[in-house]
Amino acid sequence: MNRFTLLSVCAAASLLACTPRASTPPSGEDASTPPPSTETQPPAAPASPRAEGGGTVASSDSGSRVEDAGTTDAGLLAGSPGDAGAVKCSAMDLPLPEPRTGPPPPPKAVEDMRRRIIAAARACDYAQLSKLADEKGKSVRFTFGDGDDVAAYWKEREAEGEPILARLVNVLDLPYALQGGIYYWPWLHVTGVKNPEDWKALSDVYSEAELKGMRETRDSYYGLRVGISKTGDWQLAVSGD
């Protein structure tokens, strides 16, 4: 081989060595498939929490509470008689009491019982009233006649048109007086009626005609009075003498 031919062969070999080669895919792999991307994907956002069966869910990031619209508890409203089929009574539509001046609140056990009696009467809940009557002692004195079931007795009086539960609520909203370890509502049961203002304070409990009858017959209050002991034992809710 002459020198010119040898140079031509070397030049061709150098050109071939500098040309890039396509990589040969492994056996069984489609050469058209691009290699997997190594780019990092952002994590998917977590799904919003859901309350199982409805209820309240606490959000951990904001501290706010999300209320399920179907879980409103109407029973939390004091004095609410419940659904349309609930028992009706004279106390169910009473307005909320206005602040009154008077003695300081009684001991906690007494005040708790007072509030529970009011709530049960406003709700027309005779079963709860009966339960409260027996909670710390054997029933309450509710009549000077025959009877041993306070709930049945009051339910019958209400059916006859006597607003016994409304009177119970209104009496317990008046000031009290302490005598012999018993807290009595209204205070007039202990102190007696001293002036026309005392009679006026009873206008939410009895009608003017009923109060006039008390003034003219005995000039004293002998209407409904409620007694609760220092330990919170509901002992009486009786009228008359």
Side-chain angles (χ1 to χ4, degrees):
M1 179 183 298
N2 57 36
R3 185 175 181 180
F4 177 79
T5 303
L6 180 60
L7 290 173
S8 299
V9 171
C10 290
S14 299
L15 180 63
L16 182 62
C18 294
T19 303
R21 296 184 302 165
S23 59
T24 303
S27 176
E29 182 176 331
D30 189 348
S32 64
T33 303
S37 172
T38 58
E39 181 181 358
T40 302
Q41 299 295 327
S48 300
R50 298 179 58 189
E52 297 296 334
T56 302
V57 179
S59 173
S60 59
D61 56 347
S62 65
S64 60
R65 298 179 68 83
V66 181
E67 296 294 339
D68 188 327
T71 59
T72 302
D73 186 1
L76 294 178
L77 300 177
S80 172
D83 58 29
V87 176
K88 304 296 189 294
C89 71
S90 60
M92 61 184 296
D93 294 323
L94 289 177
L96 294 177
E98 297 180 359
R100 297 176 184 268
T101 58
K108 185 178 184 302
V110 180
E111 179 65 6
D112 285 349
M113 178 58 76
R114 185 188 77 89
R115 290 180 176 273
R116 292 166 69 195
I117 294 170
I118 290 174
R122 282 182 172 274
C124 310
D125 192 340
Y126 292 98
Q128 178 65 6
L129 289 170
S130 181
K131 180 180 178 181
L132 293 174
D134 291 335
E135 185 171 279
K136 295 188 177 183
K138 182 58 179 175
S139 192
V140 300
R141 184 173 187 178
F142 59 90
T143 178
F144 290 107
D146 296 330
D148 56 6
D149 188 336
V150 63
Y153 180 80
W154 285 346
K155 194 170 185 179
E156 183 179 350
R157 298 285 80 75
E158 285 275 340
E160 293 175 352
E162 182 180 353
I164 185 68
L165 297 192
R167 288 175 181 168
L168 184 63
V169 171
N170 287 327
V171 161
L172 285 171
D173 185 44
L174 293 172
Y176 67 84
L178 176 62
Q179 183 181 58
I182 305 294
Y183 289 82
Y184 289 101
W185 285 265
W187 81 104
L188 297 172
H189 172 65
V190 175
T191 65
V193 179
K194 298 182 180 301
N195 53 60
E197 290 301 314
D198 288 345
W199 287 112
K200 186 177 180 180
L202 299 167
S203 60
D204 288 337
V205 183
Y206 288 95
S207 68
E208 179 57 35
E210 290 169 322
L211 293 176
K212 182 180 179 180
M214 295 184 195
R215 291 196 302 267
E216 293 179 348
T217 54
R218 299 189 183 179
D219 197 25
S220 64
Y221 176 75
Y222 52 86
L224 180 66
R225 55 267 194 192
V226 178
I228 302 175
S229 75
K230 289 182 177 180
T231 61
D233 180 15
W234 184 14
Q235 296 196 350
L236 64 93
V238 66
S239 58
D241 54 13

